[in-house]
Amino acid sequence: MIFGDIPWIRSQIIHKIILQKTSKKRSWKFRIFSFILKLCLVGVVILAAIILYYYSVVSSSSLEGENKWAAPAVIYSRPFELTVDQNLKYEQIIKELLFLKYRQVKDPKHSGEYAISSDKTKIVIIRRAFEFPDEKEPIRPILLKFTKGILSAIQSADDLTNIEYIRLEPVLLDRISNNNEEDRLLISISNVPQKVIDTLIAVEDRKFYEHHGINPIAIIRAFVANIKAGRRVQGGSTITQQLVKNYFLNREKSMDRKIKELFMSVIVDARYEKSQILEMYLNEIYLGHGSSDIYGFGLASYYYFGIPVDELTWEQTALLVGMIKGPSYYDPRRHPDRALTRRNLVLKILLDAEKITQNEYEKFIKTPLGIIDSKQNFGSIRLPAYVSLLKDELSTKLGADYLSKYNGLRIFTSLDPQVQVAANSSVEKVVKDLAKRYKKKDLQSAVVVSNWRTSEVLAVVGSSDPAFPGFNRVTKSQRQIGSLVKPAAYLTAFENGWHLGSVVHDAPVTVKLKNGQNWSPKNFDHKFLGWLPLYKGFASSRNVPMVRVGMSFGVDKVIDTLHALGVTSNIEPVPSTLLGSVAMSPYQVNQMYATLATEGFYKPLGAVRSVDVGGNKVIFDRTAILDGKQVVDPRSAYLTIVGMTYVTKIGTARRLTANFPQKIIAGKTGTSNNSNDSWFSGFDENEVVTIWIGNDDNTGTSLTGSSGALLVYEDYLKKRGIQSLTLDVPEGIKQVYFDVNGYIIDDSSCEIDPKTMIKLPVREDMISDAQVHKCSTFIEDLWDRGGDMVNEGIDTIKGWFN
């Protein structure tokens, strides 16, 4: 049958229609699925691109390098060296411990602690570890013993073995940096105590070691809490996020910045070890504002407590970690109540986290904040003039761009904190009194103290206000030095046949100048004393004798001596140079006197001992380049020093001997025309001190060297102490007697009369026959008497015949 298959055909048609509908339906779903798949692939590509981009940002950042931050240069003092033969006083050691912010306790166990016996005969110190330029020295307990207040023994506190030499770390003085550079002290995670890490994680990021840069649960929890409160009351940022936000991003609050932060936090967490992230965070976090912004725990621990980060206590750590939430709001100096509340909250968190015990918690919350005065951290020793000198020297040694060229410099200087504090105090006290007494309100001062044995600068004061950071008169001010030139002039005289006992006529003298005019110098007291031995003219700083002596061999030779002693400025060869018309800075004067103190061995003054980069590469070492040379005959220099001791015994500085009997000091006062400048420069067994007082406008001060600068030196010695000068007598020096006429007495033929003669050193090679007075021998006397008798007899006989 032709149509017998109609049902089958119908079914086939229906099936086809159903398949077409199903196919259309499947095609629509497939297209949607395909679109979504492609969209996901594009998202993955975009996400990968974003991740790669931010990974490249992180990887190409300075986090990958050694110099993650532009760290300022750090300035250290000299280390405090201890040996028994130094005669160190108990008070000196206690002062140094205070400078170093060591903590006095009953039973010292930790670095930076010390204890004193009840009778003050023993001090136990747990010396800090420190990486000195030459080697790294560990924590070490030492025992110091004293006899009559003087250090008599140094021992290991562990086994009581004797120690010949040990040093305490240098004092951290200051930092210097380029403009707009963030202020921080870089620390290594290896030097960070576990209590700091535990506190930081407990407060800021409890899941730090578990998450991968971000903590979604913390973010959701903070979001909900903030929504409920209607304001931001809780944060969900991890330590890694905070690091990323502070290091890579700005403070803008936007969704875009937050997304960047999340991506980069994951990358940083994948890229670095947890310990590395912690170290970067501890160096990066902002913790307040002082003279500049305070970044990192290394600087903050010094700024608020005056100690290195590895000595922070639990309560100190709690305060610093608590301040992260709001460094200005919880500033312990401006808002101590807020800071205390925040600190105690952090301590409660530590208690709950079982990091401290209940007893410790109760003890800690009763502890005061313990914040040091802002002047007692880096600024506790005021030294702007020293830093100014330091910068000039570093620019010369390392180049003007040394701060941008090198990162993380450690500058070790010769500054002695105890000397600097004594100099600061004396200038403040004495100059203030002088200004009031003489009604000179703008009276200024400058002081340089150096160690003449090492030619190192120990202290510098550049103003009557030692804290003034402006014009540094020590190096920048050029003033007439007056009679400070005379030691150089008399040294030249000793080179040209004069002796300390030679006589010179203190009487009117006129010198014809090159311009045809006459110059008639006067003494300060406008008197003339007749014939004087040279040492008395030297001691009394009389002008006319100086001119007579100097003109006998010429001004040019004196100028040559000045240059040999280290004076670098050009000096006009005029007779008034002999009386100090030449202008010098206090620094130049100190150099000249330091060369005199070494008996003519010149070494350039310097403030920098060594410089290294981050404790590794040494880029400057003074000992490696310092050369010295003998510039004048040591015998002449020795005689000059002897003359200077007469200045302090019987001359213009004799008040020093009156105030310090049995002590030998060599020195010289100086006063310029119209008393515009008051000077003193002198030295004891170790230190050369140069002091200037005057007005910046070069007007009169009414002060002489004796009534002005000498008083500052006297007060300084009372504060600092004095070590009597011992003179090394060079070969070729002989002790002889001089008579009142300036002749050297021949002691082999003459009877010595100490009442009318004085014993003085001379250069043997400069003794001429004409300078020696010889007396008759017994045979000569007998012959003379016999001759006289014969002559008398002849005269008698002649009288008979007459």
Side-chain angles (χ1 to χ4, degrees), residues 423-434 464 715 719:
N424 286 352
S425 176
S426 293
V427 167
E428 278 189 305
K429 176 181 180 295
V430 177
V431 176
K432 182 180 179 180
D433 290 346
L434 291 172
S464 57
D715 189 79
K719 291 179 169 66

Side-chain angles (χ1 to χ4, degrees), residues 271-571:
R271 182 71 182 81
Y272 297 100
E273 298 288 338
K274 292 290 186 179
S275 61
Q276 292 176 291
I277 294 172
L278 280 174
E279 181 177 279
M280 291 186 284
Y281 181 89
L282 289 166
N283 280 303
E284 173 62 25
I285 195 67
Y286 173 68
L287 284 169
H289 184 83
S291 56
S292 60
D293 287 340
I294 308 299
Y295 286 89
F297 275 68
L299 182 59
S301 62
Y302 272 104
Y303 181 71
Y304 294 110
F305 303 110
I307 58 175
V309 69
D310 60 348
E311 294 180 13
L312 288 172
T313 62
W314 277 109
E315 60 270 32
Q316 292 169 338
T317 300
L319 176 62
L320 294 184
V321 172
M323 288 175 62
I324 293 173
K325 185 178 180 180
S328 298
Y329 187 81
Y330 296 112
D331 186 321
R333 291 195 177 98
R334 291 188 298 160
H335 309 294
D337 292 338
R338 293 178 191 171
L340 185 64
T341 301
R342 177 64 179 165
R343 184 202 70 177
N344 290 347
L345 175 60
V346 173
L347 289 170
K348 182 63 169 62
I349 294 173
L350 291 172
L351 174 64
D352 294 340
E354 298 183 349
K355 297 299 181 182
I356 59 175
T357 65
Q358 181 68 35
N359 288 337
E360 287 175 326
Y361 169 72
E362 292 174 1
K363 174 186 175 183
F364 294 155
I365 61 174
K366 295 175 183 178
T367 304
L369 288 175
I371 302 299
I372 61 174
D373 188 278
S374 60
K375 296 180 180 179
Q376 295 301 313
N377 43 61
F378 295 104
S380 61
I381 304 172
R382 294 167 293 170
L383 62 163
Y386 197 96
V387 173
S388 171
L389 171 66
L390 201 63
K391 288 179 178 179
D392 292 342
E393 188 173 337
L394 288 168
S395 294
T396 301
K397 305 295 185 185
L398 304 179
D401 61 343
Y402 68 95
L403 285 175
S404 57
K405 185 178 180 182
Y406 301 104
N407 189 48
L409 290 177
R410 297 195 312 163
I411 302 166
F412 293 92
T413 74
S414 53
L415 182 132
D416 187 317
Q418 301 196 35
V419 174
Q420 184 69 56
V421 168
N424 286 352
S425 176
S426 293
V427 167
E428 278 189 305
K429 176 181 180 295
V430 177
V431 176
K432 182 180 179 180
D433 290 346
L434 291 172
K436 183 178 180 179
R437 186 188 312 167
Y438 291 93
K439 298 180 180 179
K440 305 288 182 180
K441 64 177 182 177
D442 296 324
L443 202 61
Q444 286 295 341
S445 184
V447 177
V448 189
V449 185
S450 68
N451 183 314
W452 57 264
R453 296 182 181 279
T454 62
S455 200
E456 292 180 323
V457 182
L458 306 180
V460 170
V461 182
S463 169
S464 57
D465 175 8
F468 180 68
F471 184 63
N472 186 1
R473 294 164 185 82
V474 165
T475 56
K476 310 300 183 186
S477 182
Q478 299 284 325
R479 305 295 292 247
Q480 288 189 352
I481 66 171
S483 293
L484 290 194
V485 77
K486 289 176 181 176
Y490 279 119
L491 187 153
T492 312
F494 301 139
E495 293 272 86
N496 287 272
W498 288 80
H499 305 291
L500 284 167
S502 302
V503 293
V504 58
H505 202 198
D506 184 11
V509 62
T510 299
V511 179
K512 195 172 187 65
L513 305 178
K514 291 182 179 179
N515 60 9
Q517 294 182 341
N518 291 328
W519 178 57
S520 299
K522 299 289 190 294
N523 292 313
F524 184 80
D525 60 4
H526 300 286
K527 297 178 181 178
F528 299 99
L529 303 180
W531 291 96
L532 288 175
L534 188 145
Y535 79 91
K536 284 190 175 181
F538 191 166
S540 301
S541 197
R542 303 196 68 77
N543 291 336
V544 172
M546 180 74 266
V547 171
R548 288 184 178 276
V549 171
M551 294 307 295
S552 69
F553 47 78
V555 177
D556 288 338
K557 289 186 177 180
V558 176
I559 294 174
D560 290 341
T561 299
L562 288 169
H563 286 153
L565 293 173
V567 177
T568 57
S569 56
N570 293 326
I571 301 173

Side-chain angles (χ1 to χ4, degrees), residues 41 66 141 159-160 194 213 227 232 258 280 319 340 365 428 447 459 529 580 594 604 625 632 653 678 704 789:
L41 288 173
E66 293 183 1
D159 55 17
L160 299 183
Q194 189 62 39
I227 290 294
R232 190 179 187 279
K258 193 65 179 179
M280 291 186 284
L319 176 62
L340 185 64
I365 61 174
E428 278 189 305
V447 177
L529 303 180
I625 64 170
V632 295
S678 170
T704 64
M789 291 176 64

Side-chain angles (χ1 to χ4, degrees), residues 46-64 244 248 259-273 276:
I46 293 174
L47 182 62
I50 293 172
I51 292 172
L52 286 172
Y53 169 72
Y54 285 119
Y55 189 89
S56 67
V57 170
V58 172
S59 297
S60 62
S61 74
S62 59
L63 280 176
E64 291 293 300
V244 167
F248 290 103
I259 291 172
K260 291 178 183 178
E261 178 188 308
L262 294 174
F263 274 114
M264 296 181 76
S265 296
V266 174
I267 293 167
V268 167
D269 188 85
R271 182 71 182 81
Y272 297 100
E273 298 288 338
Q276 292 176 291

